[in-house]
């Protein structure tokens, strides 16, 4: 571990990004991995979560952890595909909101001229930079770091970094909105819309209805679930239409089956709209 890493150890909400990296590292080791993230293990190691993290004490907690990990794998594949489709449509601006330990700038193939903006607070960006430096990682596109708090004037910081709202953008908010109260989610969507030319695309992950009750009620203090505060609307497609987006909603179960990783157990309750969202700016 470098001196820089010792100075910026994971804490608070952004520490969950290191847990996501651990999940991605485990998936990368599978022979039939849905994606490969060669930097994930380095992030997890630097954050103290590799080679393993202590298993939960009880069976119910273990099942919840497995369910969350599975959803992370499926959503990663879902958003990878969305970004490939956006690139194929001609979009050359990518914005990752709450970028955390996302390594798509390094692990995906990007068309020439692609500019990828990573927006997050300074602490996770500093931690990430130290790991990337240690690994000698080289981005496959123009990668631009934007140190900004999403509760403050991040659009101004993004514009100062060179984002052009007159050009279509592909926006990704992965594992982010569930940590924001509803008014902050609405503000975030309004700000994204104001920076999105027609034809822009967006990929969101939303907490499904009832997820806080199921996972957060007895969550360990400091764990990811203990910090969840918002769930998806009853009608996410209609909600996004009100923000000027034509959206499609997908469930983890549906996407998992499509990716050849079906969930064998039947749903415990009637499934409503899913929390994997792809959208196009009208």
């Amino acid at each position: 571990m470098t001196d820089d890493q010792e100075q910026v150890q994971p804490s608070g909400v952004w520490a969950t990004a290191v847990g996501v990296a651990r999940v991605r590292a485990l998936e990368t080791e599978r022979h039939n991995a849905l994606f490969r993230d060669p930097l994930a293990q380095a992030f997890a190691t630097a954050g103290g979560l590799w080679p393993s993290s202590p298993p939960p004490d009880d069976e119910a907690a273990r099942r919840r952890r497995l369910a969350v990990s599975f959803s992370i794998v499926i959503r990663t594949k879902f958003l990878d595909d969305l970004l490939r489709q956006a690139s194929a449509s001609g979009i050359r601006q990518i914005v990752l909101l709450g970028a955390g330990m996302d390594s798509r700038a390094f692990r995906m193939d990007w068309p020439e001229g692609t500019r990828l903006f990573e927006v997050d607070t300074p602490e996770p960006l500093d931690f990430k930079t130290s790991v990337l430096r240690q690994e000698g990682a080289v981005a496959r596109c123009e990668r631009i770091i934007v140190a900004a708090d999403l509760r403050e004037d991040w659009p101004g910081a993004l514009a100062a970094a060179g984002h052009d709202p007159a050009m279509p953008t592909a926006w990704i908010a992965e594992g982010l909105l569930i940590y924001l109260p509803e008014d902050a989610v609405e503000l975030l969507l309004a700000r994204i819309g104001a920076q999105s030319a027609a034809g822009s695309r967006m990929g969101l992950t939303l907490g499904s209805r009832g997820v806080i009750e199921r996972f957060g009620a007895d969550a360990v203090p400091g764990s990811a679930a203990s910090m969840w505060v918002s769930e998806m609307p009853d009608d996410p497609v209609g909600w996004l239409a009100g923000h000027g987006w034509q959206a499609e909603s997908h469930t983890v179960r549906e996407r998992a089956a499509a990716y050849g990783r079906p969930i064998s157990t039947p749903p415990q309750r009637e499934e409503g709209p899913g929390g994997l969202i792809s959208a196009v700016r009208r």
Side-chain angles (χ1 to χ4, degrees):
M1 180 177 291
T2 69
D3 291 340
D4 286 343
Q5 290 171 20
E6 291 176 352
Q7 294 169 4
V8 285
Q9 281 300 289
S11 62
V13 171
W14 80 263
T16 64
V18 179
V20 171
R22 177 180 178 274
V23 173
R24 289 177 174 155
L26 290 170
E27 175 67 16
T28 298
E29 291 188 331
R30 293 176 61 114
H31 75 279
N32 61 342
L34 295 181
F35 57 86
R36 300 203 181 274
D37 186 342
L39 291 170
Q41 184 175 323
F43 292 136
T45 299
L49 296 183
W50 195 267
S52 63
S53 60
D57 294 333
D58 64 272
E59 179 63 19
R62 188 188 71 84
R63 288 198 301 269
R64 287 196 294 270
R65 176 186 282 191
L66 288 174
V68 171
S69 297
F70 186 80
S71 69
I72 290 170
V73 169
I74 300 303
R75 82 186 193 198
T76 300
K77 165 67 172 169
F78 174 78
L79 295 174
D80 283 0
D81 288 351
L82 184 150
L83 287 172
R84 291 189 183 98
Q85 292 161 6
S87 292
S89 76
I91 291 176
R92 297 294 180 265
Q93 285 190 137
I94 313 295
V95 179
L96 309 180
L97 296 171
M101 302 303 111
D102 190 302
S103 67
R104 290 184 171 97
F106 301 87
R107 67 176 178 81
M108 294 180 64
D109 293 325
W110 297 101
E112 184 176 354
T114 297
R115 309 179 79 206
L116 187 149
F117 299 85
E118 295 190 9
V119 184
D120 213 327
T121 52
E123 292 82 1
L125 290 176
D126 289 347
F127 175 90
K128 186 175 188 176
T129 296
S130 67
V131 175
L132 293 172
R133 185 184 302 120
Q134 179 179 338
E135 296 298 309
V138 178
R140 298 182 179 184
C141 60
E142 182 181 358
R143 174 175 175 259
I144 302 167
I145 296 173
V146 182
D149 192 317
L150 292 174
R151 297 167 296 184
E152 298 174 1
D153 182 26
W154 63 266
L158 186 63
H163 176 261
D164 184 356
M167 296 176 57
T169 301
W171 303 86
I172 299 294
E174 179 178 4
L176 170 65
L177 302 190
I178 198 169
Y179 295 101
L180 302 177
E182 290 184 9
D183 59 343
V185 171
E186 293 293 333
L187 177 60
L188 186 74
L189 263 291
R191 286 174 162 176
I192 291 173
Q195 309 300 314
S196 296
S200 293
R201 302 197 179 201
M202 181 170 61
L204 306 177
T205 63
L206 304 173
S208 58
R209 302 299 293 179
V211 70
I212 294 177
E213 179 182 355
R214 297 196 305 275
F215 286 76
D218 56 353
V220 176
S223 66
S226 71
M227 295 181 275
W228 293 349
V229 295
S230 70
E231 298 177 351
M232 62 189 285
D234 291 327
D235 178 13
V237 172
W239 169 61
L240 287 168
H243 282 278
W245 298 85
Q246 182 177 347
E248 294 181 354
S249 170
H250 308 267
T251 66
V252 168
R253 182 178 294 272
E254 169 200 331
R255 289 292 85 203
Y259 301 151
R261 195 76 64 82
I263 299 173
S264 58
T265 56
Q268 297 180 348
R269 57 188 60 80
E270 183 179 352
E271 289 194 323
L276 301 177
I277 306 294
S278 60
V280 178
R281 187 68 173 172
R282 298 182 299 194

